[in-house]
Amino acid sequence: MTGRTAVDGELVGAEARLMLDARYGHFTAMQVRDRRVRGLDRHFERLEGASRELFGAELDRAAVLASIRAVLGGGVRDAGVRVNVVEHGGRPRVVAAAYPPHPPLSGPLHVKPVVYQRYLPHIKQAFGFQQAHIVRLAAREGFDEALLTTEDGLISEGAITNLGGFADGRLVWPDAPMLRGITMSLLQDLDVPQEQRPVKVADLTGFDLVFLCNSWGVMPVGRVDGVPLRQDAGLLARLVEHYESVPADPVD
């Protein structure tokens, strides 16, 4: 007999088998508050672009919204939701999952540079073993997050975040191959001078503020590999205020 799947000795159904077999795809992660999501259209745009690139197919937005509503159910107002688009049976399938809501990590954070560059970094890839492994190793050493760098210290992004910072009155983003996160894109709407330029780990000590951002929010960095960084509380407050003022879109 073939086609059966067991987990810890117990047979499971076709849904679990789908996730075992679906090893190719992409995803987006969002925080739902009061059944609303900041930058919901940007999440759709991310999923649509990746679906065209990976599958040569258009994404069904209605299927994505239906999946989000299904995992929230009728009574859940706040949650973390991950929407995967994976290939199974020769076609893309939308698979969503809900988790407890995740607030920003309490800062200031301590980050570890790790030499690693992702393949197709502009795609938020499903089943990211390498990044999960990097984060676990960093956590074992007492770090909150890892910074992905080249051999000579050029920063691209965090393992699960984007990095930004203020220097000389400008909001600076690394000019490197990376995933342009949804929260990063929302912060780029802030009305301050901004630029993208190469940023090395050694440059961070010259910044007035270094922060990480993802769907959890904006999180200040206090140390990089044990070296303390400046933290301008006023700049951080301005970033957080801008992010929290972004109107959220309903999922219903």
Side-chain angles (χ1 to χ4, degrees):
M1 174 67 68
T2 59
R4 289 182 175 177
T5 304
V7 176
D8 292 336
E10 299 291 333
L11 288 174
V12 295
E15 293 83 2
R17 178 63 178 243
L18 184 155
M19 292 308 299
L20 179 66
D21 291 343
R23 298 181 180 136
Y24 183 77
H26 60 93
F27 77 99
T28 195
M30 61 190 72
Q31 291 294 311
V32 180
R33 297 293 182 269
D34 196 26
R35 298 184 75 89
R36 291 175 172 268
V37 177
R38 287 190 184 93
L40 184 59
D41 279 342
R42 302 189 195 197
H43 283 283
F44 282 130
E45 290 164 5
R46 163 188 281 172
L47 293 173
E48 288 166 342
S51 291
R52 284 190 290 268
E53 182 170 346
L54 298 185
F55 305 121
E58 294 299 321
L59 179 75
D60 183 353
R61 285 197 179 195
V64 173
L65 275 175
S67 298
I68 295 173
R69 294 178 191 131
V71 296
L72 291 177
V76 176
R77 310 295 299 179
D78 300 337
V81 172
R82 176 171 169 148
V83 178
N84 296 268
V85 183
V86 297
E87 187 176 58
H88 188 260
R91 65 184 180 91
R93 306 285 297 274
V94 176
V95 182
Y99 305 91
H102 202 306
L105 296 177
S106 58
L109 306 183
H110 189 192
V111 299
K112 175 183 176 64
V114 175
V115 177
Y116 179 72
Q117 297 291 284
R118 296 192 304 116
Y119 177 67
L120 295 180
H122 62 288
I123 298 288
K124 196 170 179 69
Q125 302 155 25
F127 319 111
F129 171 84
Q130 293 90 339
Q131 285 159 272
H133 182 62
I134 287 169
V135 170
R136 284 172 178 264
L137 290 181
R140 289 176 194 171
E141 297 178 27
F143 295 92
D144 300 297
E145 166 67 313
L147 297 183
L148 307 184
T149 76
T150 60
E151 291 280 356
D152 60 353
L154 191 68
I155 300 169
S156 55
E157 57 192 337
I160 59 171
T161 58
N162 287 112
L163 175 138
F166 279 91
D168 301 320
R170 304 180 73 84
L171 177 51
V172 178
W173 304 96
D175 183 12
M178 69 171 78
L179 177 74
R180 186 169 179 263
I182 303 301
T183 301
M184 174 184 173
S185 75
L186 295 173
L187 294 177
Q188 287 178 319
D189 293 338
L190 181 63
D191 186 19
V192 295
Q194 300 191 33
E195 66 177 351
Q196 283 189 275
R197 61 176 172 83
V199 177
K200 289 191 173 184
V201 173
D203 298 333
L204 298 181
T205 56
F207 280 58
D208 297 309
L209 173 72
V210 177
F211 64 90
L212 302 177
C213 59
N214 62 11
S215 65
W216 301 343
V218 181
M219 298 159 282
V221 177
R223 290 179 294 161
V224 56
D225 214 12
V227 178
L229 303 179
R230 292 202 295 269
Q231 298 174 62
D232 188 310
L235 291 172
L236 177 62
R238 187 171 183 183
L239 277 175
V240 172
E241 180 183 12
H242 169 78
Y243 177 67
E244 293 183 347
S245 71
V246 174
D249 305 302
V251 299
D252 294 312

